[in-house]
Amino acid sequence: MSHSQPSTLDPFSQWALAMPGAPPPRVAWFAQTPMCFVGGWEPLSFRKRAGYAWTDEEAACEQEFSETALARYQELGATSIVIPFAKGFGLAATRAELDQERDIIQRAHARGLRAAAYIRVDAVVPETVRAEDPQVDSWLMRGMHGRISSYNRQQTFRRRICYSHPGAVAYLESQFRYAVETLHADQLHLDGYALAATPETTCRCPLCVTSYRRWLVGRYPTAEAREQAFGIVDIDSVTPPECERDEHFPAAIISPDIRSWLRFH
């Protein structure tokens, strides 16, 4: 299978788009099986906390991955299922659901279905994650003026995390390892794995500021390059720009500070 140009006639050529060479034996099925999946992304605990669980939702959840449902998914042509796993509450707080998820994967495997674990990677619920990592507050994303960034206005219990912080990386790795080693998931569905797209919502924690300054040194290595890009600037002390999006935010960004901050991300 060619890495540079997989055949359009090969229905299972996805692996060549991921990396060169043949897939490792454990995931060889990925190059041999069509990718067609169905699933549910939201655990019941999250639906309740977010405020959109129906009164009969528990009964519906029992049916979502029942034996009848799994058989129907296969009948419709599914080769994989995606099951709810992690929405940021941490492993300790969702232990009861984890037992259910392991049972679903075991039953799916018995039928020949592959299973993926859904993991939301950009936000956590600090109040429950503290039981696993008391330092969780130190690896939350910090926006302008040191403000903590929440997921949205109706889900402020979810806080966005900084991917530059070792604590956040360790937390995510623990989720990945649990899904693969304990639940025996075949795939990980990582949702939300992106940096904020607007300059006012990107992280400005000390680690990110340090990384930004180092990036500026690499991009503008000489005094002449810095003067041409910025005029007067002290890269060792520069801070990310404050650029709240309001009615005065320009359609065309001419500020070298904002443009550099966007390029950095």
Side-chain angles (χ1 to χ4, degrees), residues 36-197:
C36 182
F37 62 87
V38 63
W41 283 249
E42 311 287 75
L44 178 59
S45 59
F46 173 78
R47 289 181 238 181
K48 289 181 176 179
R49 187 64 186 271
Y52 57 81
W54 298 94
T55 55
D56 61 348
E57 197 103 356
E58 293 192 19
C61 285
E62 291 180 3
Q63 297 300 316
E64 194 170 33
F65 295 105
S66 66
E67 287 299 312
T68 300
L70 293 179
R72 179 57 173 160
Y73 298 153
Q74 285 186 296
E75 181 183 345
L76 293 172
T79 58
S80 300
I81 60 171
V82 181
I83 69 169
F85 168 48
K87 289 288 284 191
F89 290 96
L91 297 173
T94 58
R95 195 159 306 280
E97 290 181 334
L98 297 178
D99 292 338
Q100 298 169 358
E101 291 153 12
R102 189 172 185 177
D103 174 67
I104 292 171
I105 292 177
Q106 288 176 342
R107 290 189 289 105
H109 284 167
R111 291 181 167 274
L113 284 167
R114 301 291 177 176
Y118 172 92
I119 303 175
R120 185 78 196 196
V121 298
D122 62 343
V124 298
V125 183
E127 67 192 64
T128 54
V129 173
R130 284 192 192 98
E132 300 176 31
D133 187 347
Q135 303 302 315
V136 59
D137 296 280
S138 69
W139 42 270
L140 300 181
M141 180 185 288
R142 292 298 193 279
M144 290 188 300
H145 317 300
R147 292 180 304 200
I148 296 175
S149 177
S150 61
Y151 183 75
N152 64 33
R153 292 179 180 178
Q154 292 208 59
Q155 295 180 18
T156 58
F157 62 93
R158 300 171 71 190
R159 302 294 186 175
R160 295 191 182 276
I161 65 175
C162 173
Y163 298 125
S164 296
H165 198 287
V169 174
Y171 167 82
L172 291 175
E173 182 175 319
S174 70
Q175 304 276 307
F176 303 159
R177 286 190 174 278
Y178 191 93
V180 173
E181 296 175 356
T182 302
L183 297 182
H184 301 296
D186 303 290
Q187 307 167 66
L188 302 179
H189 182 157
L190 307 185
D191 190 12
Y193 194 49
L195 295 171

